[in-house]
């Protein structure tokens, strides 16, 4: 049974249909990347999965159990953490407070502390900046904080929305290396990316969205070498 | 000199009450981005609940003469609990269904809730007339819970400055509550969650924060502070006007001005604004009263004290629209 299964998901913003009948599934332990152009519905798909928008039709199953209709904070408790578009850090709070909120619903303080140490191993920069207001961090550091904070919920499934957006090329490399590392530690990842090249490189499987529907899906390496994907998303061919 | 100090004492006492009320305005604005116009009526409710509770307790325990020391704190807690419950109910019934509605709808609803509270408070079929339940349309006098004693008297030549027990109790209670709120907002997990919800509701929910519950708690906290302010106010000014009286409206409005001047949405700004507004109100009156009356040979100066407050509001809005401690809201790109 896949960890996450999305069946026939449709979302409408007023009269505008953003998604029509998206199907996808993420296997335990894998990275699935969702690629596509601006406005294809990638972010909307993530928002519908994590409960931020209510789908007009379809189902989201976590561990085979429907989570559609649950509130976002209830879904987080079931082991799904969503690192939103634009990083979603709380600029008026310190780095330390941001991280603490990541573990908001957890009561296992010893384990939270362990997870904090693990986050500091992944992102040593965060440890240096604990008492600083998160709004004063650079874009790359904010992204690290956003990912680190999401990990503190100890998710089984991590939704990442454009983690490479607006970062310098070298930082993009670092972020993707860390995504692989997090995955190797056992976290299943659903990765939304515009940087299709990097995303297909780290992912196991991929889904291509076009105007709110699935255009292609399959093995990431196979998609990366398919002519259509090369032409439309990898900028050559 | 003595006059000046005496007015300063009053200004600090009243300022601490403005600050307590302003905190409720600012906390709700910080989280829901609308002005809770019903907040000043919760303050009035606090004063009147204090009246009803004291009358009830005094007759229940057949207290005659100076009331025992535990009565004041007990009435204070009662008023805070009652207003906390009312605040919870208002939020649940009136504002929560409008969570996704335009801000203007919520604002108009707040005005409606305000009118409702004012009018229910004046209802004329008392359930228990002795206790003023509902409060009724005639003024009442708050029983004396504290002796009107001077704690400290300073002499300046022929004049004296009296620091009364009531002033001290007001300032100490208000500051204690403000410090407690400071700890809650800046030192606890719940406070961090409040600030996160205030910054971005959607992203706060993604942290696993139960946003609706945090909003409820914020409302209840604000209402309890207003209740405390209402009760403390009635200790200093025991003549309670009927719940819809313009005196109450003006007090609530000045506390709102305090929140705006301090920087609405900013907890420390509300405290600063509260003291500042009271100082300007009382000092303005003190400094200008004689001068104006001499110039124009009138005696209208005392009625001008509200003008100073609103003049300051206009100046602050022109010079620093975000308020003294407010930060500009960046539009999201």
């Amino acid at each position: 049974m896949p960890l996450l299964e999305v069946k026939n998901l449709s979302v409408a913003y007023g009269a505008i249909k953003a998604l029509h009948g998206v199907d996808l599934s993420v296997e335990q332990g894998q990275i699935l990347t969702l690629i596509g152009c601006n406005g294809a519905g990638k972010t909307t798909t993530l928002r519908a999965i994590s409960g931020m928008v209510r789908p007009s039709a379809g189902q989201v199953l976590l561990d085979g159990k429907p989570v559609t209709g649950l509130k976002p904070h209830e879904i987080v408790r079931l082991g799904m953490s969503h690192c939103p578009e634009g990083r979603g850090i709380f600029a008026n709070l310190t780095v330390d407070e941001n991280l603490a909120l990541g573990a908001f619903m957890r009561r296992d303080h010893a384990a939270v502390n362990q997870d904090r140490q693990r986050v500091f191993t992944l992102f040593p920069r965060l440890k240096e900046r604990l008492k600083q207001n998160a709004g004063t961090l650079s874009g790359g550091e904010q992204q690290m904080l956003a990912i680190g904070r999401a990990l503190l919920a100890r998710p089984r499934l991590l939704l990442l929305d454009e983690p490479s957006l607006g970062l310098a090329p070298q930082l993009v490399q670092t972020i993707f290396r860390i995504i692989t590392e997090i995955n190797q530690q056992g976290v299943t990842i659903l990765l939304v990316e515009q940087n299709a090249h990097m995303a297909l490189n780290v992912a196991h499987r991929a889904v291509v969205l076009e105007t709110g529907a699935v255009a292609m899906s399959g093995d990431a390496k196979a998609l990366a070498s398919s002519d259509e994907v090369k032409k439309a998303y990898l900028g050559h061919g | 000199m003595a006059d000046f100090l005496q007015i300063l004492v009053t200004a600090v006492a009243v300022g601490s009450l403005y600050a307590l009320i302003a905190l409720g305005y600012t906390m709700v604005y910080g989280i829901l981005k609308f002005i809770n116009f019903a907040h000043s009526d919760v303050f009035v409710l606090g004063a009147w609940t204090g009246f009803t509770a004291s009358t009830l307790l005094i007759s229940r325990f057949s207290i005659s003469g100076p009331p025992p020391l535990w009565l004041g704190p007990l009435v204070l807690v009662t008023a805070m609990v009652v207003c906390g419950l009312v605040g919870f109910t208002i939020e649940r019934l009136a504002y929560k269904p409008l969570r996704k509605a335009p801000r203007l709808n919520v604002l108009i609803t707040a005005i409606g809730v305000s009118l409702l509270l004012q009018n229910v408070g004046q209802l004329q079929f008392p359930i228990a007339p002795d206790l003023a339940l509902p409060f009724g349309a005639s003024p009442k006098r708050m029983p004396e819970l504290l002796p009107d004693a001077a704690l400290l008297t300073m002499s300046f030549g022929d004049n004296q400055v009296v620091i009364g027990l009531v002033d001290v109790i007001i300032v100490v209670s208000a500051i204690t509550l403000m410090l407690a709120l400071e700890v809650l907002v800046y030192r606890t997990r719940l406070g961090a969650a409040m600030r996160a919800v205030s910054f971005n509701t959607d992203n706060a929910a993604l942290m696993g924060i139960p946003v609706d519950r945090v909003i409820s708690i914020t409302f209840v906290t604000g209402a309890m502070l207003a209740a405390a302010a209402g009760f403390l106010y009635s200790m200093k000014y025991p003549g309670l006007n009927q719940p819809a009286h313009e005196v109450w409206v003006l007090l609530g409005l000045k506390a709102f001005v305090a929140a705006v001047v301090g920087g609405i949405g900013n907890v420390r700004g509300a405290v600063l604004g509260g003291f500042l507004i009271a100082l300007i109100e009382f000092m303005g009156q003190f400094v200008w009263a004689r001068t104006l009356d001499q110039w124009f040979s009138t005696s209208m100066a005392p009625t001008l004290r509200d003008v100073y407050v609103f003049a300051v509001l206009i100046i602050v809005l022109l010079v620093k629209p975000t308020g003294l401690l407010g930060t500009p809201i960046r539009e999201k790109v």
Side-chain angles (χ1 to χ4, degrees):
Chain A
M1 179 178 61
L3 180 58
L4 176 78
E5 212 174 351
V6 172
K7 288 182 183 165
N8 188 33
L9 190 69
S10 296
V11 173
Y13 295 113
I16 301 154
K17 278 199 128 187
L19 292 183
H20 357 236
V22 168
D23 291 292
L24 58 84
S25 63
V26 191
E27 296 296 329
Q28 177 81 47
Q30 291 204 332
I31 300 181
L32 175 88
T33 184
L34 195 57
I35 56 177
C37 305
N38 265 336
K42 306 185 297 287
T43 294
T44 301
T45 308
L46 286 199
R47 288 169 66 90
I49 291 172
S50 67
M52 292 174 83
V53 294
R54 197 166 281 262
S56 50
Q59 251 196 333
V60 177
L61 305 164
L62 188 67
D63 298 315
K65 291 183 206 90
V67 296
T68 339
L70 292 185
K71 297 219 166 110
H73 74 263
E74 294 165 331
I75 295 180
V76 180
R77 280 157 212 245
L78 299 175
M80 183 200 298
S81 212
H82 179 175
C83 196
E85 193 184 26
R87 302 166 194 137
I89 63 148
F90 303 110
N92 56 337
L93 271 63
T94 63
V95 170
D96 204 9
E97 288 172 331
N98 268 276
L99 289 172
L101 285 180
F104 183 81
M105 72 297 173
R106 291 176 64 183
R107 293 287 177 272
D108 47 343
H109 298 291
V112 169
N113 251 326
Q114 274 179 13
D115 288 351
R116 269 172 78 92
Q117 294 316 317
R118 201 173 304 152
V119 167
F120 293 145
T121 317
L122 283 174
F123 307 110
R125 288 288 272 286
L126 293 183
K127 199 173 181 179
E128 297 162 22
R129 308 218 183 279
L130 275 181
K131 295 294 162 208
Q132 223 166 300
N133 255 14
T136 65
L137 299 183
S138 72
E141 289 165 345
Q142 291 191 5
Q143 189 59 61
M144 293 173 187
L145 175 58
I147 297 177
R149 189 181 62 178
L151 287 176
L152 280 175
R154 195 174 264 194
R156 288 173 299 142
L157 174 65
L158 179 61
L159 313 183
L160 292 172
D161 198 345
E162 304 251 13
S164 77
L165 193 72
L167 299 188
Q170 210 189 341
L171 263 176
V172 173
Q173 299 274 353
T174 313
I175 292 287
F176 275 100
R177 180 177 52 74
I178 285 167
I179 290 172
T180 313
E181 221 172 299
I182 292 168
N183 177 244
Q184 281 161 358
Q185 291 175 5
V187 181
T188 307
I189 293 175
L190 173 50
L191 171 67
V192 157
E193 258 304 333
Q194 288 227 15
N195 188 337
H197 180 74
M198 292 295 288
L200 290 172
N201 203 12
V202 300
H204 301 96
R205 292 169 41 78
V207 168
V208 180
L209 274 190
E210 266 170 27
T211 57
V214 174
M216 277 176 276
S217 65
D219 181 75
K221 303 283 170 298
L223 275 179
S225 55
S226 87
D227 287 341
E228 281 167 90
V229 170
K230 269 187 187 170
K231 210 164 153 188
Y233 301 102
L234 299 177
H236 51 77
Chain B
M1 183 63 183
D3 287 359
F4 176 81
L5 285 177
Q6 189 67 66
I7 287 182
L8 190 65
V9 170
T10 308
V12 170
V14 174
S16 62
L17 299 181
Y18 285 163
L20 279 183
I21 310 170
L23 282 167
Y25 278 115
T26 225
M27 286 172 74
V28 167
Y29 183 86
I31 270 194
L32 290 177
K33 304 287 177 279
F34 86 100
I35 306 298
N36 179 18
F37 278 114
H39 188 60
S40 67
D41 302 292
V42 175
F43 158 69
V44 181
L45 181 67
W48 275 92
T49 309
F51 169 81
T52 304
S54 343
T55 318
L56 181 71
L57 287 167
I58 286 171
S59 77
R60 177 78 181 74
F61 294 100
S62 337
I63 295 164
S64 54
L69 280 179
W70 51 261
L71 192 60
L74 183 63
V75 173
L76 174 68
V77 171
T78 310
M80 288 174 76
V81 170
V82 168
C83 288
L85 288 172
V86 170
F88 175 83
T89 313
I90 293 173
E91 197 278 324
R92 186 48 69 83
L93 297 183
Y95 303 144
K96 193 177 172 214
L98 299 174
R99 203 75 92 218
K100 296 216 159 33
R103 294 302 92 185
L104 189 60
N105 299 17
V106 192
L107 202 68
I108 294 167
T109 306
I111 296 172
V113 173
S114 170
L115 290 173
L116 179 77
L117 289 179
Q118 288 182 10
N119 287 293
V120 169
Q122 291 181 82
L123 282 182
Q124 284 289 16
F125 45 91
I127 301 166
D130 305 345
L131 306 175
L133 260 180
F135 308 130
S138 47
K140 291 273 177 358
R141 189 163 181 85
M142 184 76 184
E144 203 169 87
L145 300 186
L146 282 173
D148 188 15
L151 210 61
L152 182 68
T153 311
M154 289 179 288
S155 299
F156 290 85
D158 293 341
N159 299 318
Q160 282 188 329
V161 179
V162 179
I163 298 182
L165 180 60
V166 170
D167 289 323
V168 174
I169 296 273
I170 287 178
V171 174
V172 169
S173 320
I175 289 180
T176 308
L177 288 169
M178 288 178 222
L179 288 176
L181 184 75
E182 168 87 11
V183 170
L184 171 71
V185 173
Y186 291 101
R187 297 271 181 278
T188 66
R189 252 159 52 100
L190 177 62
M194 284 175 171
R195 284 178 290 142
V197 171
S198 152
F199 190 78
N200 186 317
T201 312
D202 282 351
N203 291 337
L206 291 183
M207 301 296 105
I209 297 171
V211 171
D212 283 331
R213 199 180 312 160
V214 170
I215 291 175
S216 264
I217 294 172
T218 308
F219 255 87
V220 170
T221 310
M224 288 170 83
L225 294 180
F231 169 68
L232 293 172
Y233 180 84
S234 72
M235 304 274 282
K236 187 164 174 59
Y237 302 105
L240 289 184
N241 285 297
Q242 54 99 346
H245 197 279
E246 63 178 36
V247 163
W248 294 121
V249 177
L250 211 50
L251 281 168
L253 214 50
K254 283 178 194 163
F256 170 57
V257 170
V260 174
V261 165
I264 193 132
N266 184 312
V267 168
R268 288 163 187 164
V271 173
L272 176 69
F275 283 109
L276 202 64
I277 286 299
L279 278 177
I280 288 164
E281 180 180 354
F282 286 92
M283 286 303 150
Q285 189 187 7
F286 175 70
V287 175
W288 276 98
R290 296 165 214 190
T291 323
L292 284 177
D293 284 349
Q294 272 167 14
W295 284 357
F296 301 107
S297 22
T298 58
S299 55
M300 62 177 289
T303 58
L304 287 177
R305 50 192 272 189
D306 306 332
V307 174
Y308 311 129
V309 171
F310 296 108
V312 167
L313 173 67
I314 293 171
I315 293 168
V316 168
L317 288 181
L318 285 175
V319 177
K320 197 168 185 299
T322 52
L324 296 176
L325 299 187
T327 42
I329 298 165
R330 271 181 304 163
E331 290 296 324
K332 274 176 226 154
V333 187

